[in-house]
Amino acid sequence: MRRLFPLSALPVPSRKAGDAMGEAGPPAPSEPGIVRDGTVDREWTLDELADAYGYPEADDPVRSGRAGWLRANMVSSLDGAAHHEGRSQPLSGAADMRIFGVLRGLADAIVVGAETVRQEGYRPARARDAFAARRAAAGQGPAPAIAVVTAGLGLDFSLPLFTEPLVPTLVLTGAGAPADRVRAARAAGVEVLFAGEGQGVDPERVTGVLAERGHTRLLTEGGPRLLGQFAAAGALDEMCLSLAPVVAVGDAPRIMDGPAVAVPERFALVSVLEEAGFLFTRYRRS
């Protein structure tokens, strides 16, 4: 993996006198305590990736006026497909899955639409030793909670996502959701949170409702309809988009499928990483 943007690299100390004619150069990967040049193509550690994708702190000016931070992570083919035959896995790769895991390891909660839960066969997020110390230092639980966004609560509450989570799975819906389904969810031990007055959620309220539960570092994995609703409502703070070096053709949707906006919102490029032809981009609202 190598960093393509920003191009400024951290300084690398010179070799000691007598080493390779005393010339300066990048250290061997095994040298402890040496800052590595991210522009050199090599495998990044999970800690390096976690540092690169860290959430802004609560006092960061970019967070001004916002209860939390909503980041999206999606993968797209070269021709703009968000999935192939209903699943995103065929578009992914080893580096994409590493970053996927890192983004989960940093989040308080993962916000996902009910249809994506059904199509992708979501299971509870698991605790990973690689992030245990970092999460403990940040006051986080051992794993992120899964927060399922649904209007009708047409979910199977006997699935492991709801019966075997390390951290209780949440359901986000509207106050007008079917009362019998809300009762069924609660009878199964699921916590139901209302983030809207109608049957479905109000995208603008999701971040605030989860922040009240202490979940301020939010990650959404879509699907396209939910992500489109967040973006159209101005609720999306950051977009982590993996561009896969594949062409899918077909009729798959784009990564966002929501209501039109009067003026396209501009996001600022934060970073670009590359590995095996995949581009891993990160944008923030400007």
Side-chain angles (χ1 to χ4, degrees), residues 29 32 86 151 225 245 264 271 286:
R225 185 168 62 177
S271 66
S286 56

Side-chain angles (χ1 to χ4, degrees), residues 180-277:
D180 60 329
R181 296 303 299 163
V182 173
R183 287 195 296 271
R186 288 175 169 163
V190 178
E191 183 168 2
V192 179
L193 303 177
F194 295 123
E197 301 305 321
Q199 182 171 339
V201 302
D202 178 349
E204 294 179 350
R205 292 180 57 181
V206 169
T207 300
V209 168
L210 290 173
E212 291 174 358
R213 291 291 312 273
H215 301 318
T216 58
R217 305 172 188 90
L218 304 178
L219 171 67
T220 180
E221 296 171 349
R225 185 168 62 177
L226 177 62
L227 186 53
Q229 291 171 345
F230 280 136
L236 183 64
D237 298 303
E238 183 176 322
M239 182 74 219
C240 296
L241 175 62
S242 299
L243 185 62
V246 300
V247 174
V249 197
D251 58 358
R254 299 184 303 173
I255 62 167
M256 295 190 192
D257 180 15
V261 295
V263 179
E265 184 173 9
R266 190 172 186 84
F267 278 59
L269 181 63
V270 176
S271 66
V272 182
L273 305 177
E274 184 274 337
E275 182 172 311

